[in-house]
Amino acid sequence: MNKTKQLFAGMILTAIGQESARADFTLNLTEGVTKISHDIHDLHMLILWICVFIGLGVFGTMFYSIYHHRKDKGHQAAQFHENTTVEIIWTIIPTVILISMAIPATKTMLELDDVQESDMSIKVTGWQWKWEYEYLDSGVKFFSSLDEASNKARQLGSGIDPRTVPNYLLNVDKPLVIPTKKKIRFLFTAADVIHSWWVPDLGWKKDANPGFINEAWTQVDQAGTYRGQCTELCGKDHGFMPIVVVAMDQPDYDAWLKKAKADAAKGPDLSDLSHEQLVSKGATVYEKNCATCHLPNGEGVPGAFPALKGSAIVTGDINKQADLVLNGKGAMPAFGKILKADELAQVITYTRNALGNAVGDEIQPKAVQALLPEGAGAVSEANEEEDDDDQAAAETKTEAAKADQPDTSSKEGLIAKGKTVYEGHCVSCHQASGQGLPPTFPALTGSDVVTGDIKEQVKLMKAGKGMMPAFGETLSPEEFAAVVTYTRNALGNSVNDSITPAEIEALQ
């Protein structure tokens, strides 16, 4: 009897202890901050209680039978079988239970996959080991990496107590910013290996697979900061690529977007730097982007990541090293897609004059910019005199300004402007060549829509369809006319027609 009382007392104390610790630790599913996360939580609780009820019934009957009949030794059991009523009952009851679970589960799954009528679209690309975010409706694009404080504290022998770092390993240098009370469609892919994007407060996670596109959506109604992580083992630094989503009210988001566009328009700083400045700044770039694989001292990991100390590439032709860094090789990503020209010049110069190397040379941002696809022709030669640099830069700016303002009164002018609009709004899904990513994103080359009735194409682009946003709300009549004309007369198509901004305005 005393043992029974002690058992019950222990159970009560355990329950009280768990209740008091609930604020810091819970075994239940996170409820989240979105409607879909609440629906998932409610579904989870419904099925949990159904399972609890079934468990109580089954185990209660079993334990009662064991206890009640424990002394009936030698008793002759009754012999019976084929009770139709019992068989009907134990068929109907599980069927009703399954249906009661399947209906809300199916409804929630359909809701999870409904990306229609989204207000904006964001493409998420997983890299080893960072995330790339591209706002398809506004052209803003950036990389998000582990914040500097966490990155320093995680290094062996850093001497930094991780407990002194706010949100250790759960903070980034550039968070994903979204507006509140807007339906946001996400497109997930990867540049190297499989990653998985997970923010518990949003209620779901999605795999990011190379060569494939996965979709999801969210709508956050309350401003706040929500944190997550990559949940697919993607390499040695899998545990160091967190996710931070900052939801802002619309006025704050508009101000952030305006600043982000302005920062993107500035581009890299192409001014020449002294040798010491290149090396000094390159150390920071190296620590953030390269030290993970090649190690802080440049000795690498033999068999996996080559050493930079004494490397024939690093101590050899600087242009060959720049080509390798920009375009990548094997497991090394193409940093020409990740870093700006000034950062690339700094880190290349640093590796050649630090980490046990002392080549003594350097490369300037202008020379790197000329090697990048978007920077080709920005300067005629990397080593020309300063006056020639200024003249070439001025000519480049003049030509760029003309290219930015083509004469849209002609078909040729519309095509020229349409190429720019296409690259800013369409290329992420339909690809630069117009080949798309079937079956998720259809090809525009040879498309029946693009080569058919131009008014039907305009109607489709204005209203949107499926995963395609309604561009009638985001493009000006001039931009709209230009990109329609471009798709019909480029990308392998030659319909040889056009539509004017005035005609677009009339259709709207």
Side-chain angles (χ1 to χ4, degrees), residues 275 279 314 348-362:
H275 185 81
V279 174
V314 178
I348 291 172
T349 302
Y350 171 77
T351 59
R352 301 175 69 83
N353 296 276
L355 307 176
N357 300 320
V359 183
D361 60 357
E362 64 190 45

Side-chain angles (χ1 to χ4, degrees), residues 190-494:
D192 35 48
V193 299
I194 299 176
H195 302 273
S196 192
W197 198 87
W198 179 53
V199 178
D201 283 317
L202 302 186
W204 46 263
K205 76 179 184 73
K206 278 290 182 178
D207 286 347
N209 301 311
F212 294 88
I213 298 290
N214 283 331
E215 287 185 290
W217 69 274
T218 195
Q219 179 173 319
V220 180
D221 293 330
Q222 295 294 326
T225 300
Y226 310 104
R227 304 179 190 276
Q229 292 172 302
C230 176
T231 56
E232 185 73 30
L233 187 60
C234 57
K236 66 182 292 290
D237 272 17
H238 157 70
F240 307 114
M241 52 182 301
I243 302 159
V244 179
V245 177
V246 177
M248 295 182 175
D249 292 329
Q250 194 65 47
D252 295 329
Y253 173 78
D254 291 339
W256 173 86
L257 184 62
K258 182 178 179 181
K259 183 178 183 301
K261 288 182 176 180
D263 291 343
K266 292 179 183 177
D269 182 2
L270 300 182
S271 58
D272 286 347
L273 299 173
S274 68
H275 185 81
E276 291 72 21
Q277 287 176 317
L278 287 169
V279 174
S280 175
K281 294 184 178 182
T284 302
V285 180
Y286 179 86
E287 181 181 353
K288 184 176 180 180
N289 297 275
C290 316
T292 294
C293 298
H294 298 292
L295 301 189
N297 57 9
E299 293 181 354
V301 180
F305 304 109
L308 301 186
K309 183 178 181 180
S311 164
I313 294 176
V314 178
T315 59
D317 185 345
I318 194 170
N319 291 317
K320 290 184 178 180
Q321 182 188 358
D323 180 69
L324 176 63
V325 173
L326 266 60
N327 299 305
K329 182 179 180 181
M332 179 176 174
F335 280 102
K337 299 179 180 179
I338 301 175
L339 301 178
K340 295 180 180 179
D342 52 342
E343 295 172 317
L344 290 164
Q346 292 159 12
V347 74
I348 291 172
T349 302
Y350 171 77
T351 59
R352 301 175 69 83
N353 296 276
L355 307 176
N357 300 320
V359 183
D361 60 357
E362 64 190 45
I363 188 169
Q364 292 292 341
K366 289 178 183 177
V368 175
Q369 182 72 9
L371 297 174
L372 295 170
E374 64 271 24
V379 290
S380 58
E381 292 181 10
N383 59 350
E384 56 187 0
E385 297 296 325
E386 187 65 29
D387 291 342
D388 292 337
D389 282 344
D390 292 341
Q391 181 179 357
E395 292 175 354
T396 302
K397 289 182 179 179
T398 302
E399 293 173 0
K402 292 179 180 179
D404 290 340
Q405 301 294 332
D407 181 10
T408 53
S409 62
S410 66
K411 185 176 73 173
E412 291 71 20
L414 285 170
I415 293 173
K417 183 175 181 63
K419 184 177 187 295
T420 302
V421 179
Y422 181 85
E423 290 173 348
H425 295 82
C426 316
V427 72
S428 294
C429 297
H430 296 293
Q431 305 300 297
S433 61
Q435 297 299 316
L437 292 171
T440 307
F441 301 114
L444 300 187
T445 303
S447 164
D448 292 338
V449 174
V450 178
T451 59
D453 187 343
I454 194 170
K455 291 184 177 179
E456 290 298 319
Q457 181 183 355
V458 170
K459 181 179 178 181
L460 174 65
M461 291 177 61
K462 279 176 54 185
K465 183 179 181 182
M467 294 176 290
M468 180 176 174
F471 283 108
E473 301 174 1
T474 57
L475 298 180
S476 68
E478 186 179 55
E479 292 172 326
F480 204 109
V483 74
V484 171
T485 303
Y486 173 74
T487 59
R488 301 175 69 84
N489 295 276
L491 307 176
N493 300 320
S494 55

